[in-house]
Amino acid sequence: MREKPDEKWREVTVADIKAYIGFQIVMGVIIAPRLDDYFSTDEMFGICGIKHRINRDRFDKINQYFHAADTSMNPHRGDAGHDKIAHVRPVLEKVRTSLSSAYRPHRESAIDEAMVAYTGRLSIKQYVPMKPTKRGIKVWVRADPHNGFINDFQVYLGKENNTGEYGLGERVVLDLTRDILNRGHHIYMDNFFTSVKLFEKLEENDTYTCGTVRAQRQGVPPQIRNANIKNQGESVIMQKRNMVALTWKDKRPVNLLSTNTDPRRQTTVLRRQKDGSRIDVPCPEVVKNYTKFMNGVDRADQLRALYSCGRKASKWWKYLFWFLVDISIVCGYILMKESPDHQRKSRNGRQKQLSMVDYRKSLAKQLIGIYMVRNKRKAMKENTSYADGSNCWVADMGKKRRCEHCKPRGIRREPRFGCEACGVNLCVECFKPYHLERFPDRYTR
């Protein structure tokens, strides 16, 4: 049976979608307990200016019918070729390829898992008890430990036919590093991924690795597996060509495998004792390097959690979509910070850093722009002269943009001034002809 069309629905434009995403970014910066609070007219508890740009009905309809992909051609569940994340696949691939090509990574990279929080029913939902976010969608991530930039990622789609994938960790690492093989990069990972076979395969491709390793993994020397170290700071090291296996006693034994560190290099770490004193404990350099460079994904998660624009939704794929938006914003912020063309200075000539919240505010303003969908009755009550041009005056628009009268004539001018009522930038000499064309009945009487 064909459903009756929604009488309140109106077609959306590119400006509608850009403004909708901009409003979501604003909601991440200014957090309200309920969505209704963003449209409240209460003078005391009015949250922000969203209600002045869009009415609640229009926002609800865009939110209700918002989709990121056409899934009509996706095969049914259980059929060959079915894509479990077809709802966001086009956006996901666009974000992934853009991040891979937009930034040249440092020599060191870290591979770990990130979690997109979700507690509803979903076949790809995972439970990871050791993570702060224990239930949700698991995403394998390769990130830059120097700044948290996400170089590549892959959504874990769970088991196929209730059968686990053999060699999952090895396959994930090879997938995420395919763009940087044979370039001398150093990859850091935890014991879920680390194996002797994987490290040998990466070394053959001029890619060097370091990671904690489970003592029972195939290929780990029995001297490491059965080591009995009693004193803090002691270690047992075994080497096979360029591969080093070691166990080091901190508060508990730590097992590592490495192909990028000289085992003879030793350093120290500061440790607090039971009596409150601090001492320097001998430590192999590989342990210190692992601690230093394994935090890339955690650093990216910290930046992503700042002012996240995701909100509670009834559809699981929206959580993944807003995850993609958040990592795009984070990586854009990192690119801006490192770009020599976007450095800001104070009046004293000192370098001035733009914070994440300032970046998100600026981005939201650019996406929303002059977008405005207001209640028709309220707009007519406030000002009935906007429609006939009687309230058009020269005003400072706050930013240089192309002149709306020169643009269709192929002339590029970017004045700062324009007409506030019409919401356009205009040259001084274009102000009159523009309004003569737009309101011929009023100005030709």
Side-chain angles (χ1 to χ4, degrees), residues 21 25 91 95 309 320-330 360:
I21 295 175
I25 296 174
V91 179
V95 171
C309 55
L320 191 53
F321 174 83
W322 294 117
F323 165 81
L324 297 173
V325 173
D326 278 328
I327 65 174
S328 300
I329 293 173
V330 167
R360 284 182 178 262

Side-chain angles (χ1 to χ4, degrees), residues 314-372:
S314 59
K315 303 295 184 180
W316 68 265
W317 62 264
K318 289 190 177 182
Y319 291 84
L320 191 53
F321 174 83
W322 294 117
F323 165 81
L324 297 173
V325 173
D326 278 328
I327 65 174
S328 300
I329 293 173
V330 167
C331 293
Y333 171 67
I334 294 171
L335 288 173
M336 187 212 64
K337 284 181 64 177
E338 297 195 359
S339 171
D341 299 327
H342 293 82
Q343 300 302 318
R344 302 196 310 166
K345 292 185 178 181
S346 64
R347 294 180 179 179
N348 298 329
R350 296 179 181 177
Q351 188 171 350
K352 186 179 180 181
Q353 292 288 347
L354 187 70
S355 65
M356 173 62 79
V357 65
D358 291 333
Y359 179 79
R360 284 182 178 262
K361 287 180 179 178
S362 178
L363 178 60
K365 288 180 180 178
Q366 291 182 35
L367 288 172
I368 298 170
I370 60 173
Y371 179 85
M372 185 174 293

